[in-house]
Amino acid sequence: PFAPGPWTDLKIFRGWLKWKLADGEMIEADGGYRGDFRVAIPSHCRSLNEYRMKVNARARHETVNRRLKQFNCLKMYHHDKSKHVHCFEAVAVITQLAIRNGEPLYSVQYNIVY
């Protein structure tokens, strides 16, 4: 629902998404989200083990991003912009089906308590 360009991840999070988090719930994000108490950034670690868990979780997330981007419709599309959401939804469904049916993500141990 947000056009690329002026709507950065951070603006979307601060304007709309963070208000949907449950009390005490946090998100894990990169260093660009500094300054919000509901965001745990990579440097928020109490041990080397926590740091490694965060690295592995971010790497798995990037695997999902790569799978979405392989369809090449996230940044370059050749149709009316109003139809772009349908293309993205289709790619998201195809990616989810692949994860559930033979191309799973690798397992990540993540048991950090804030």
Side-chain angles (χ1 to χ4, degrees):
F2 298 95
W7 293 104
T8 64
D9 295 359
L10 184 57
K11 281 184 182 179
I12 294 168
F13 173 73
R14 286 185 175 157
W16 289 270
L17 299 178
K18 84 176 190 177
W19 312 111
K20 296 182 182 287
L21 295 174
D23 288 342
E25 186 177 14
M26 296 177 70
I27 66 162
E28 190 75 46
D30 62 31
Y33 285 72
R34 284 192 170 104
D36 196 302
F37 73 97
R38 299 193 120 197
V39 177
I41 60 173
S43 61
H44 290 169
C45 299
R46 293 178 294 235
S47 69
L48 181 58
N49 189 41
E50 280 191 6
Y51 175 79
R52 287 181 178 148
M53 283 190 276
K54 287 183 175 210
V55 166
N56 290 335
R58 283 193 312 276
R60 184 174 68 171
H61 183 78
E62 289 304 321
T63 299
V64 174
N65 288 347
R66 180 184 46 78
R67 290 181 186 190
L68 293 169
K69 289 176 184 177
Q70 75 183 358
F71 291 91
N72 216 20
C73 73
L74 299 182
K75 64 179 177 176
M76 184 170 45
Y77 45 93
H78 307 284
H79 47 268
D80 185 80
K81 288 182 182 181
S82 66
K83 296 180 181 177
H84 186 64
V85 67
H86 302 296
C87 293
F88 180 79
E89 287 173 350
V91 167
V93 169
I94 292 167
T95 302
Q96 185 65 40
L97 288 171
I99 290 169
R100 290 183 179 177
N101 294 287
E103 298 177 33
L105 297 173
Y106 57 89
S107 182
V108 171
Q109 179 185 5
Y110 190 89
N111 56 5
I112 299 174
V113 178
Y114 292 99

